[in-house]
Amino acid sequence: MSAATAMTIPHYLQFKDLDAATYAYLFERAAFIKRKFKAVEKYQPFADPDRTLAMIFEKASTRTRVSFEAGMYQMGGSVVHLTTGDSQLGRAEPIEDSARVISRMVDIVMIRTFEQSKIEAFAAHSRVPVINGLTNEFHPCQILADIFTYLERRGTDPQGKPDMACLQGKVVAWVGDGNNMANTWLQAAELLGFTVHVSTPSGYEVDPVLAGIRNPDCYKVFKDPREACAGAHLVTTDVWTSMGFEAENEVRRAAFKRWCVDEDMMRTAQPDALFMHCLPAHRGEEVSAEVIDGPQSVVWDEAENRMHVQKALMEYLLLGRLG
Ligand code: CP
Ligand code: NVA
């Protein structure tokens, strides 16, 4: 995909929509944009002409909304916020018609919805770039932030630049549901050269076919979550019940009991392993309070970095490569 090709509209619907070289560029750009933010220096590439982001939420959000909305304003642009309940989306206007209309009035769209097919249909009828802000199947913006956070801690070169080479051969342990986050981790591993050790209860496995995985060596499945964590450089998990699956809550609670990342589990990982969680978290379910609030946890940086990486992503989709 090329942001510079006039005929092609660049979208970000899955992690595999970009290649490794583009990720290297985005991480460098995110580091630059974050430095400006920390130095309280204005950086407003979307001010003149003013660019508008439409955010469409069919599910709840805290981080995704705040990071995109604050990020767009800080870059000099504007934001329109739509939900199913307060738009015609909740009254069965076809997604294709919504895409045709919304994309005539704004410059870029972020969507959080249910089926991936819905965002694909929107993108197919959009005149402007579309970003996946979470679907049942994938959450690419979160993994973008997670890898940037890992690079900040473990892969920054002496000049302060993120060094993607440090990802080669690393092990990420995924403990819990084979959900949108887990599927996206598989795509990232295949593309960027690390391995995911996955442990889920049976019946909740990851879906490598759906993720389009061609290299079976980019992930390894373990029955025992402790074994998945053994020697890992990063341990990560997510809620037992994702949005849209609330009816399964009780059944999942019983099935996932052993898939709680606690201090014992963290001890099997590398001594300097990091812990990540996309949040929101349920202490005492998928992670113990000692781990998420402990010294190996980087969840607050991970959340903040959503804004910095998404600024770099929007800049790339709207303006192409800069600098
Ligand atoms: N991690 C994440 O996407 O959080 P929100 O659901 O709050 O947006
Ligand atoms: N897997 C979770 C992630 C929330 C950010 C969900 O889809 O609800």
Side-chain angles (χ1 to χ4, degrees):
M1 190 181 64
S2 158
T5 310
M7 298 302 291
T8 316
I9 301 160
H11 299 299
Y12 191 58
L13 307 181
Q14 302 189 29
F15 197 87
K16 64 177 185 180
D17 285 349
L18 301 177
D19 59 21
T22 307
Y23 279 113
Y25 168 77
L26 284 181
F27 292 134
E28 214 174 304
R29 212 58 207 161
F32 164 81
I33 289 170
K34 183 171 180 175
R35 276 196 298 277
K36 292 246 175 225
F37 176 79
K38 294 293 176 189
V40 201
E41 276 175 36
K42 263 193 185 184
Y43 179 61
Q44 302 208 311
F46 299 153
D48 188 14
D50 178 83
R51 311 288 175 125
T52 304
L53 163 72
M55 303 190 296
I56 302 172
F57 284 98
E58 298 214 274
K59 291 176 176 171
S61 167
T62 296
R63 279 145 288 272
T64 303
R65 175 163 182 191
V66 176
S67 56
F68 270 104
E69 189 159 338
M72 195 61 185
Y73 282 126
Q74 286 164 20
M75 292 179 94
S78 315
V79 177
V80 176
H81 177 250
L82 292 162
T83 67
T84 311
D86 66 16
S87 68
Q88 300 290 4
L89 286 162
R91 298 180 65 252
E93 180 166 16
I95 196 78
E96 295 81 359
D97 292 357
S98 304
R100 288 181 179 108
V101 172
I102 294 167
S103 70
R104 282 180 177 235
M105 300 182 223
V106 303
D107 301 283
I108 188 163
V109 179
M110 187 286 303
I111 308 180
R112 168 167 287 195
T113 188
F114 292 87
E115 297 79 20
Q116 182 72 14
S117 57
K118 218 166 164 183
I119 198 170
E120 305 273 354
F122 191 105
H125 294 85
S126 173
R127 290 183 170 191
V128 301
V130 176
I131 298 174
N132 183 346
L134 180 145
T135 57
N136 291 349
E137 291 89 343
F138 301 112
H139 197 1
C141 290
Q142 184 66 56
I143 304 300
L144 190 63
D146 293 3
I147 294 173
F148 181 71
T149 307
Y150 186 85
L151 293 173
E152 275 189 330
R153 297 289 181 133
R154 299 283 181 262
T156 300
D157 73 14
Q159 283 73 47
K161 282 189 181 170
D163 177 12
M164 291 227 304
C166 91
L167 298 174
Q168 299 300 314
K170 291 291 188 304
V171 171
V172 173
W174 176 265
V175 175
D177 192 15
N179 62 12
N180 41 13
M181 284 289 298
N183 290 331
T184 311
W185 270 115
L186 293 194
Q187 290 193 346
E190 179 165 61
L191 207 62
L192 305 182
F194 58 90
T195 307
V196 187
H197 286 188
V198 185
S199 179
T200 71
S202 88
Y204 299 96
E205 288 82 6
V206 280
D207 193 338
V209 175
L210 172 106
I213 300 303
R214 278 171 297 184
N215 172 12
D217 296 334
C218 73
Y219 73 102
K220 212 169 156 193
V221 174
F222 296 81
K223 274 199 163 49
D224 181 348
R226 247 158 262 276
E227 278 177 30
C229 292
H233 301 88
L234 166 63
V235 177
T236 184
T237 185
D238 189 10
V239 289
W240 289 343
T241 305
S242 284
M243 291 181 280
F245 297 84
E246 289 81 1
E248 300 172 13
N249 216 359
E250 285 318 304
V251 180
R252 283 172 172 265
R253 252 181 221 280
F256 281 80
K257 260 201 173 77
R258 285 196 306 118
W259 278 265
C260 173
V261 179
D262 57 16
E263 285 176 309
D264 275 355
M265 219 181 261
M266 285 303 292
R267 269 193 281 275
T268 70
Q270 298 283 339
D272 70 342
L274 299 175
F275 172 77
M276 290 192 193
H277 189 311
C278 63
L279 306 176
H282 297 87
R283 290 168 176 77
E285 292 191 8
E286 75 275 6
V287 61
S288 70
E290 290 74 23
V291 169
I292 195 166
D293 299 320
Q296 288 167 281
S297 172
V298 292
V299 298
W300 313 123
D301 283 353
E302 193 188 347
E304 178 191 324
N305 283 336
R306 285 288 303 276
M307 184 172 81
H308 306 303
V309 297
Q310 288 162 192
K311 282 176 161 179
L313 177 67
M314 290 192 289
E315 182 193 74
Y316 173 70
L317 295 175
L318 282 172
L319 307 178
R321 277 178 184 254
L322 306 177

